[in-house]
Amino acid sequence: DVKVTQSSRYLVKRTGEKVFLECVQDMDHENMFWYRQDPGLGLRLIYFSYDVKMKEKGDIPEGYSVSREKKERFSLILESASTNQTSMYLCATQDRRFSDTQYFGPGTRLTVL
Amino acid sequence: GENVEQHPSTLSVQEGDSAVIKCTYSDSASNYFPWYKQELGKRPQLIIDIRSNVGEKKDQRIAVTLNKTAKHFSLHITETQPEDSAVYFCAASPAGGTSYGKLTFGQGTILTVHP
């Protein structure tokens, strides 16, 4: 069974704070993704990574950065949190050698006050 | 880039009825089209997918059809049950290169099945 975990289920931060969201997987998947989910907008890709230290911008990278120092860990960083970054953040992984299926983490609901 | 439009945004049916959700995509290079189901409070999970070399795929009560010429694909659920109630997302993905695996999702459809 694929296990994808995220560091927090709920997080409350203040405007201007630096925020770290972490995703960890135990299946040796190469690809990892960060999405944000907002009602009526679906899931929008922020960044993805297809290997250690490799990253590519998704559709809405502004205000975010990522880090992938180890294969199993993919971090999303909000350099200076703003209220419009209040959202549900979902991490996903994919084993591109064998499958197109993405496996999602449980999500982190971030509120920026 | 790819753009995926999904309709309707909400769908309400009686148990036993069929439900159809439609998506259109813009990039003719897209060749992989998955559907994800997200139950309330849960993570999205893949329920069915189709590739551009196939016109239709069926798995028990769910089926997906693809019209490459028109650039649209649809999810069909027959004999709906209350446990089918969820948010459904369609997505499209290009082939190969460093963008392999990158999905563009539709806006989602909230399906409610009334007993």
Side-chain angles (χ1 to χ4, degrees), chain A residues 4 9 31 33 35 37 40-43 45 48 50 56-59 90 94 96 99-102 104-106, chain B residues 1-2 32 36 38 41-46 49 51 87 89 93 98-108:
Chain A
V4 185
R9 287 304 302 269
N31 287 6
F33 307 84
Y35 296 92
Q37 181 176 12
L41 297 178
L43 284 76
L45 182 64
F48 68 105
Y50 52 90
E56 284 213 12
K57 291 180 180 179
D59 299 317
L90 288 164
Q94 177 201 19
R96 67 167 184 260
S99 171
D100 293 297
T101 304
Q102 291 193 14
F104 285 85
Chain B
E2 175 67 276
Y32 173 66
Y36 283 78
Q38 185 178 30
K42 302 279 184 67
R43 64 193 79 187
Q45 289 192 301
L46 178 74
D49 55 12
R51 296 193 176 282
V87 182
F89 295 99
S93 178
T98 56
S99 291
Y100 174 65
K102 179 183 173 184
L103 291 176
T104 300
F105 283 88
Q107 295 85 350

Side-chain angles (χ1 to χ4, degrees), chain B residues 26-70:
Chain B
S26 61
D27 188 353
S28 55
S30 289
N31 72 344
Y32 173 66
F33 307 92
W35 287 86
Y36 283 78
K37 175 184 179 182
Q38 185 178 30
E39 297 177 7
L40 188 63
K42 302 279 184 67
R43 64 193 79 187
Q45 289 192 301
L46 178 74
I47 55 170
I48 196 168
D49 55 12
I50 192 168
R51 296 193 176 282
S52 58
N53 59 349
V54 176
E56 184 173 355
K57 185 176 178 181
K58 196 172 180 181
D59 183 4
Q60 298 183 344
R61 293 187 300 107
I62 60 173
V64 57
T65 58
L66 171 65
N67 184 327
K68 278 182 64 179
T69 305

